[in-house]
Amino acid sequence: MASNEVRAEDFGFIYLDVDDPAIAWLAYRGLISSSDITPANPGNISWFSTKLIKRGLSSTLEREGKFEGVRQKSFKEKLSRLSSLYTFDNVETAREALKNLGKFNSENLVSIEPADQDFRREIYDMQWIDNFDLIGIDAAERYWSGENYPEHPLPEALLSGRFWILGTSVRKRAYRTIQRLDPKALAVLELARLAAHFGSNLGAISPWLRKEGETIIVSQVINYDEKEGLEVFQRALGEHRKNPEFPINWPDLKPLKGSKEDKNLDDLFKVPDGRLFEHEFRVDKATELAQTIQNILLS
Amino acid sequence: MTSLSRRSFIAAGAAGLAAPVFAQQPGHEQHGGHYERLNQPGRIGKPELAASQNVFDSPAAKAANPGRWQPKALLPLPRSEMAWATAYDDRMHIVGGYGEQRTDRAYHHVYDPKADKWNDGAPLPQGANHVGVAFLDGRLYAIGGFLEQNRKPHPRCFVYDPKTDKWAEIAPLPRPIGSAAIIGLNGLLHSIGGAIGDTTESKTSVNWHRVYDPKADAWSERAPLPTARDHTGTLPIGNLIHVIGGRVDSFHTNSNLHHAYDPATDKWAPRNPLPTARSGHGAVLYRGKVFIMGGEGTNRVFGQMEAYDPASDGWEQYAPMLTPRHGLGAALVGDAIHVAGGGPIMGGGVQSAVHEAFSL
């Protein structure tokens, strides 16, 4: 059952698999960003590509590599599928994609809206991708040209920028995921949520690939600085003093109150164990998948 | 063991007459009406669509000795979506699946390699498809399965004694499941992954890992599979359980992930992934290596035979299947991998009686 918090008039829609701890973290924090706007760093990758890698969907990732190859060759000005957000601009299409593709959970559909004015949105027809195996590389040309598929077009929206995640039911489930996996991280998670509210990048999480020998690791990095964390905490206290209704999850922040000397700093500022978020994999060097990943690591 | 049915006898006899060794190129399958549609009675030849869906290319390095396939006695009737087979005492058992225009068959066919013949075993008490099967301490366990086409799982579990040819019901699964991988190891039965959902739209892979203790007739939980999937290739190697490939919700999203589980520590670890991501494939340990054959993807039926060497954590490709299929029964019988039944085209629309064996 899709959340009734999703409204047709909302700006856009995205599926967030909040059983995944990294997605749960960003969902509760309340802000999602495309990886093309994160600081320049070889290996930046989109959340959608991260999901494909984590699930071992190598054929799908190889197909994404072919679409990226056509984009780089003939449509360089377009957003890359490997770094943008995979969303929908129409709630009915989002639900239809669920029905056709069977790879999204209807409970995970949420509304989003731009956090900044300088976002980009490009609409393409996902049917070209689904029918790539039958059509061949011409499907990629027609996709990037913005052509509608002849039979029953299904538009998808690639987004670049930062976007607020609306609604509370998915975020409640996201919270429970982190609570279950790493309850000591909840204080920093609450700081991360407050930081997003204040426009700070503290606690933002982003995916990237790195290589260790023959092993490729998809990681998610949480931006955290203890000093900045304290500043966000102090600012939240100030907001609360001015306005007691200012929403703060006090039980989670409780470990940060009181005398620091009495507490273990590692416990106070517990960022989740990175191993919860990491996924190691290897690819055969001769495959197109290896080429795709190499392109990401070198871009 | 019950006596041979008339149909079993005729089918096995016909295969015995037509048993030349075919050339070792893909596509040279056994001929004749060895296929049947799910929605229409009557034997048919191999569907033309299979030619465009069969794929054989593997990115893995070629093995020095590619091995060879040989046709064997046809199954008594075309079947598919059994998901797995299991073997014990030099007999391969294939249980449940699609056939004769139904998706909840209780068939139980037993292959005798010395006679190259199929016998009828006592039928499964609850007909279903994608029934998880494994031998543990000389007894065959059949766990869960789908009552409808790849959906609507049930929780019932049964144990079969080959000496008496009888089934008995055991403690049901805590929750219904279909296409779960079942492994017997060190006195316990592991049920790993699988799928739930009463409709095609709601069908979802799960990461559940439950263990059945025959002494207590009870199920308990173990560390879940790191990535939820079903239709996997799963088997024990030494004291570890390897889960290879499978699908995440749908065969449109096949996975190449490969994990190994250590029951001693209750922990999973990643292993070198399957070169060709697929689901509905067979996985058989043969001469120290795991051979993966068949499987299904979007407009694809895989013929690749890829083998994993646990010692080197590496993969090689071997001679591809003569007749690519998915939802097949595969097991080691004697010194050969036997692969029987399965669908020759994407989906469950056509069943096959084809039976081929691979040896090095």
Side-chain angles (χ1 to χ4, degrees), chain A:
Chain A
M1 184 71 79
S3 165
N4 57 13
E5 295 170 355
V6 174
R7 298 170 307 171
E9 62 269 30
D10 291 339
F11 166 84
F13 309 90
I14 190 169
Y15 285 97
L16 294 178
D17 177 9
V18 293
D19 290 330
D20 180 313
I23 301 295
W25 184 275
L26 76 84
Y28 187 76
R29 187 171 182 270
L31 198 65
I32 186 166
S33 305
S34 57
S35 68
D36 57 342
I37 66 158
T38 52
N41 188 351
N44 281 356
I45 190 171
S46 71
W47 286 109
F48 186 63
S49 303
T50 303
K51 177 179 168 179
L52 298 183
I53 291 170
K54 281 185 171 180
R55 292 185 167 188
L57 308 185
S58 53
S59 304
T60 312
L61 201 56
E62 281 179 24
R63 188 179 61 194
E64 292 292 335
K66 287 173 182 157
F67 274 74
E68 176 64 7
V70 170
R71 187 196 70 84
Q72 288 186 5
K73 188 179 167 199
S74 308
F75 301 90
K76 272 190 174 171
E77 76 284 4
K78 307 285 191 182
L79 292 173
S80 168
R81 293 176 56 83
L82 298 178
S83 60
S84 55
L85 293 173
Y86 181 68
T87 73
F88 302 89
D89 68 334
N90 178 302
V91 71
E92 293 307 321
T93 308
R95 288 178 176 142
E96 192 162 351
L98 169 79
K99 195 165 55 184
N100 283 3
L101 306 177
K103 59 192 176 194
F104 301 112
N105 179 345
S106 61
E107 293 178 358
N108 292 338
L109 184 64
V110 295
S111 295
I112 52 174
E113 67 177 26
D116 309 300
Q117 293 299 316
D118 57 348
F119 68 88
R120 283 177 66 188
R121 174 156 69 178
E122 295 174 4
I123 309 290
Y124 300 101
D125 193 332
M126 74 176 82
Q127 292 270 38
W128 294 115
I129 295 174
D130 293 341
N131 288 288
F132 176 78
D133 287 340
L134 296 174
I135 299 168
I137 203 70
D138 188 45
E141 296 276 352
R142 298 172 84 172
Y143 174 88
W144 288 117
S145 298
E147 192 177 328
N148 277 345
Y149 194 73
E151 299 163 26
H152 195 67
L154 277 176
E156 60 187 12
L158 302 185
L159 289 180
S160 168
R162 302 189 315 146
F163 300 86
W164 292 113
I165 297 162
L166 309 180
T168 55
S169 61
V170 165
R171 293 171 73 191
K172 277 181 184 170
R173 289 198 289 120
Y175 179 84
R176 286 197 290 271
T177 295
I178 301 296
Q179 187 180 41
R180 186 177 69 248
L181 291 173
D182 201 353
K184 285 185 174 177
L186 291 175
V188 169
L189 177 61
E190 179 63 6
L191 277 184
R193 187 189 68 79
L194 292 164
H197 178 79
F198 296 140
S200 159
N201 202 34
L202 182 95
I205 185 168
S206 53
W208 63 296
L209 292 176
R210 68 177 201 275
K211 204 170 176 189
E212 287 184 4
E214 289 304 304
T215 302
I216 296 164
I217 300 172
V218 57
S219 278
Q220 283 95 57
V221 187
I222 294 178
N223 175 52
Y224 193 77
D225 173 82
E226 190 178 322
K227 183 168 170 286
E228 195 179 351
L230 282 171
E231 286 170 4
V232 168
F233 182 54
Q234 293 299 334
R235 185 167 171 190
L237 287 177
E239 291 288 334
H240 182 71
R241 280 190 207 103
K242 283 190 285 186
N243 172 19
E245 298 298 311
F246 182 76
I248 297 178
N249 186 343
W250 287 113
D252 283 350
L253 285 185
K254 200 173 175 184
L256 302 183
K257 295 175 79 178
S259 169
K260 272 175 59 176
E261 287 71 28
D262 296 340
K263 296 179 171 62
N264 182 340
L265 281 178
D266 290 340
D267 277 353
L268 281 180
F269 299 102
K270 175 79 166 57
V271 178
D273 185 340
R275 285 170 298 185
L276 289 174
F277 297 164
E278 284 197 346
H279 173 84
E280 291 183 11
F281 66 105
R282 276 172 281 175
V283 291
D284 190 294
K285 286 176 187 168
T287 62
E288 291 181 37
L289 176 59
Q291 190 60 49
T292 301
I293 286 169
Q294 194 63 20
N295 285 344
I296 296 169
L297 287 168
L298 295 177
S299 63

Side-chain angles (χ1 to χ4, degrees), chain B:
Chain B
M1 202 72 63
T2 55
S3 62
L4 279 172
S5 70
R6 182 170 174 272
R7 181 168 45 207
S8 304
F9 181 76
I10 291 169
L17 291 173
V21 176
F22 283 63
Q24 295 298 291
Q25 287 97 29
H28 289 231
E29 77 288 354
Q30 298 169 93
H31 303 292
H34 308 321
Y35 302 84
E36 188 166 13
R37 296 188 192 283
L38 186 60
N39 63 1
Q40 188 180 354
R43 298 297 179 88
I44 58 170
K46 189 173 182 181
E48 286 183 11
L49 185 59
S52 65
Q53 293 191 345
N54 288 173
V55 284
F56 301 97
D57 293 337
S58 168
K62 287 186 176 170
N65 171 13
R68 66 200 311 268
W69 290 88
Q70 281 185 290
K72 293 288 179 185
L74 295 165
L75 271 166
L77 54 107
R79 300 172 59 181
S80 71
E81 311 302 341
M82 296 78 70
W84 295 281
T86 187
Y88 177 74
D89 198 20
D90 227 11
R91 297 282 190 282
M92 175 163 71
H93 295 249
I94 303 186
V95 172
Y98 296 5
E100 295 181 308
Q101 292 74 58
R102 288 189 65 97
T103 60
D104 59 350
R105 290 298 180 187
Y107 308 133
H108 177 189
H109 293 132
V110 185
Y111 178 67
D112 174 356
K114 286 186 184 133
D116 191 25
K117 276 185 179 174
W118 291 92
N119 297 311
D120 286 342
L124 189 63
Q126 169 71 67
N129 62 81
H130 297 88
V131 180
V133 290
F135 267 96
L136 174 65
D137 298 331
R139 302 208 298 169
L140 168 61
Y141 289 82
I143 307 301
F146 295 117
L147 297 172
E148 296 178 3
Q149 195 164 357
N150 218 4
R151 60 182 182 257
K152 203 167 187 182
H154 74 80
R156 297 178 71 190
C157 303
F158 304 94
V159 61
Y160 170 82
D161 187 341
K163 290 176 189 158
T164 60
D165 190 30
K166 282 187 177 154
W167 290 93
E169 190 151 9
I170 58 172
L173 287 157
R175 291 177 67 184
I177 199 162
S179 66
I182 307 299
I183 297 297
L185 183 64
N186 299 330
L188 298 173
L189 202 68
H190 294 253
S191 170
I192 300 168
I196 58 171
D198 287 352
T199 63
T200 302
E201 289 76 20
S202 65
K203 181 175 169 284
T204 308
S205 304
V206 294
N207 61 0
W208 302 346
H209 179 184
R210 307 192 195 284
V211 164
Y212 175 75
D213 182 350
K215 288 177 188 158
D217 188 29
W219 292 89
S220 57
E221 293 201 12
R222 294 291 188 276
L225 185 61
T227 301
R229 53 200 200 269
D230 60 280
H231 285 72
T232 61
T234 302
L235 72 178
I237 307 176
N239 284 317
L240 301 180
I241 296 172
H242 287 246
V243 180
I244 302 170
R247 63 185 62 170
V248 182
D249 301 338
S250 155
F251 60 67
H252 297 302
T253 44
N254 279 338
S255 175
N256 69 353
L257 291 180
H258 174 185
H259 291 105
Y261 172 76
D262 185 349
T265 58
D266 192 29
K267 285 196 171 142
W268 292 91
R271 290 285 190 276
N272 203 355
L274 177 61
T276 304
R278 44 182 142 168
S279 59
H281 50 288
V284 178
L285 185 63
Y286 174 49
R287 297 196 186 180
K289 292 179 181 173
V290 179
F291 285 80
I292 302 289
M293 77 296 298
E296 180 181 28
T298 305
N299 297 310
R300 297 275 185 274
V301 177
F302 297 101
Q304 291 93 330
M305 180 73 151
E306 294 169 329
Y308 172 74
D309 184 348
S312 65
D313 195 30
W315 289 88
E316 287 182 318
Q317 60 168 301
Y318 287 78
M321 300 168 75
L322 300 178
T323 312
R325 285 157 283 155
H326 64 89
L328 39 76
L332 181 69
V333 189
D335 188 42
I337 296 171
H338 288 254
V339 182
I345 58 172
M346 183 183 77
V350 178
Q351 288 69 59
S352 82
V354 174
H355 171 196
E356 292 159 353
F358 173 87
S359 57
L360 289 171

